[in-house]
Amino acid sequence: MRRRLATAAAACLSALALTLSGCGLMDPVDISGFAKDAPDPDAKVIRLANVYESKHPSNRCGTATMKKELAGKGIDLQVYPSSQLGTEAEIVEQVATGALDIGISSGAFFGVWYPDAAVVDAPYLFKTADEYDQGTRGKELAKVYDDMAAETGLHVFSSWYYGARHVTANKPVRTPDDFKGLKIRTPDAPLYLQMINAFGGTATPMALTEVYLALQQHAIDAEENPIPTVSSNKFEEVQSTISLTGHIVQGIQLVTSDHFLDGLEPADRDAVMHAADSARQANLQCVKDEEHDILAKWKSDDTIKVVDDVDVDGFRDRIKERMLPKTPYQQLYLDIQKEVAGMPAGKASAGGEK
């Protein structure tokens, strides 16, 4: 029996969100720069939502590439960024209920629906962007997503690199001991709470859109995110230090439902899958470039102090000792690392690591 966590209330809220968008109260943002002409009135409309700012690479390079390619196939991809339709958990819920066609979320939120799916966000699973890109297209995770689809009806059909997560605070965080007494914002998913607990800090779940004000008002001490996300949300304005912990080399997943897939003509389904893969490649290079360029700028103009002498092995040991044994996916974690280690290096994408 498929696991359906959606409640009637959640379904109503999802429907209300999309009804409001249809009334013009939450119109899709044109993040592509390509839609200068009025959309084709005969085009098939597909709605996609995520929590990321419109200037973030996932939209500026990812969904923009997808939108442009699909426009040539008679499909109008309408993108709702910046949490217009809710948090990551709410977006996945809307996809599950059929209120939304495609959502973008990170693996930790799929873990609520299918526990093994959270493994892709597990700390120190991958070391580099290219390892992530290879591993998420390998057999181990393909089986996880096939099994999740069979049980829940949620289909992950593309994985895009999001960045290596680091800690920003008003002090350096070089070792796990520096987490003691630190009240740090995390996404509201169990994996993050487990991770921060293993490091010795106090996790405070919070929506991404609320973090800037919470940091500014000192309701929290710190947060953790990839460099492009820190920059697009301007967290460097309210934090003095970024410590390069690299604790999660992370991506985001495109997810849809049986209801949506069953309603597509084969040609449209192929077009969506191909456009998502084109977007994966464009987004990968874009995020890698931004990680390099933003960090170089910060170091050059001292916008925020960059701490790179971090005891990464110490953090990794904490995860191995205090977190992984308590998860349902410890063996899967090791199997994915073994699979990635056996893959040819440098085959995942054009361009090398910067």
Side-chain angles (χ1 to χ4, degrees):
M1 180 180 294
R2 288 180 172 175
R3 184 183 180 197
R4 298 294 190 184
L5 300 185
T7 62
C12 289
L13 288 171
S14 301
L16 177 60
L18 290 180
T19 299
L20 289 172
S21 71
C23 295
L25 297 180
M26 290 190 293
D27 289 330
V29 175
D30 178 16
I31 44 76
S32 70
F34 302 119
K36 295 180 180 179
D37 300 323
D40 180 355
D42 297 324
K44 178 178 179 60
V45 173
I46 293 177
R47 286 175 167 175
L48 180 154
N50 61 60
V51 301
Y52 315 111
E53 295 294 321
S54 59
K55 293 182 180 180
H56 189 274
S58 60
N59 284 313
R60 183 169 54 81
C61 300
T63 60
T65 297
M66 200 171 171
K67 181 179 179 72
K68 181 181 180 182
E69 184 168 320
L70 288 176
K73 302 292 184 179
I75 296 173
D76 178 16
L77 182 69
Q78 297 185 355
V79 179
Y80 297 82
S82 305
S83 301
Q84 286 189 50
L85 299 188
T87 64
E88 286 183 87
E90 290 166 343
I91 286 170
V92 175
E93 193 84 37
Q94 290 170 39
V95 171
T97 62
L100 180 65
D101 300 323
I102 300 172
I104 301 182
S105 179
S106 60
F109 291 92
F110 298 121
V112 176
W113 295 79
Y114 190 75
D116 277 359
V119 70
V120 72
D121 274 1
Y124 299 108
L125 175 64
F126 303 113
K127 295 178 181 178
T128 67
D130 286 339
E131 271 199 6
Y132 170 85
D133 191 61
Q134 288 181 299
T136 50
R137 291 182 292 125
K139 293 180 180 179
E140 294 289 345
L141 278 167
K143 184 178 186 305
V144 169
Y145 295 140
D146 285 346
D147 291 346
M148 183 175 79
E151 183 171 318
T152 70
L154 289 169
H155 295 255
V156 169
F157 64 95
S158 190
S159 293
W160 299 356
Y161 179 57
Y162 182 58
R165 297 182 83 95
H166 307 291
V167 176
T168 70
N170 289 320
K171 69 171 189 176
V173 178
R174 292 186 171 92
T175 73
D177 289 341
D178 293 324
F179 266 92
K180 187 175 181 179
L182 202 64
K183 191 175 181 181
I184 181 168
R185 176 268 173 182
T186 68
D188 190 7
L191 179 145
Y192 293 97
L193 276 64
Q194 295 166 352
M195 176 185 71
I196 298 302
N197 183 61
F199 290 157
T202 301
T204 303
M206 185 181 296
L208 185 63
T209 52
E210 300 171 6
V211 176
Y212 185 98
L213 187 61
L215 290 169
Q216 189 178 51
Q217 296 181 344
H218 305 291
I220 53 176
D221 304 313
E223 65 85 41
E224 49 81 52
N225 261 303
I227 289 167
T229 305
V230 172
S231 178
S232 66
N233 287 277
K234 303 185 185 302
F235 295 149
E236 73 275 13
E237 294 179 352
V238 287
Q239 298 270 262
S240 66
T241 305
I242 181 166
S243 301
L244 304 184
T245 52
H247 49 275
I248 303 177
V249 174
Q250 189 179 36
I252 50 180
Q253 284 73 46
L254 273 66
V255 63
T256 189
S257 65
D258 286 339
H259 174 79
F260 174 71
L261 291 175
D262 291 345
L264 288 178
E265 296 292 335
D268 288 343
R269 179 170 178 164
D270 289 345
V272 169
M273 299 301 162
H274 188 276
D277 197 58
S278 297
R280 171 189 65 79
Q281 296 175 64
N283 174 81
L284 174 62
Q285 194 60 53
C286 191
V287 175
K288 287 164 65 175
D289 288 346
E290 280 213 358
E291 285 183 310
H292 174 269
D293 295 344
I294 293 170
L295 190 62
K297 180 180 182 298
W298 285 346
K299 288 181 176 180
S300 174
D301 63 18
D302 205 26
T303 303
I304 185 171
K305 182 179 179 181
V306 178
V307 177
D308 52 17
D309 56 335
V310 173
D311 181 15
V312 173
D313 288 339
F315 284 106
R316 185 180 288 111
D317 288 344
R318 284 287 185 97
I319 296 302
K320 289 181 179 178
E321 295 166 4
R322 300 188 182 186
M323 179 179 170
L324 281 180
K326 299 177 182 179
T327 68
Y329 49 73
Q330 182 177 21
Q331 186 57 51
L332 177 61
Y333 179 103
L334 298 174
D335 290 343
I336 292 170
Q337 287 188 327
K338 182 178 180 181
E339 180 183 39
V340 170
M343 291 178 173
K347 298 293 185 180
S349 64
E353 289 291 322
K354 287 190 173 184

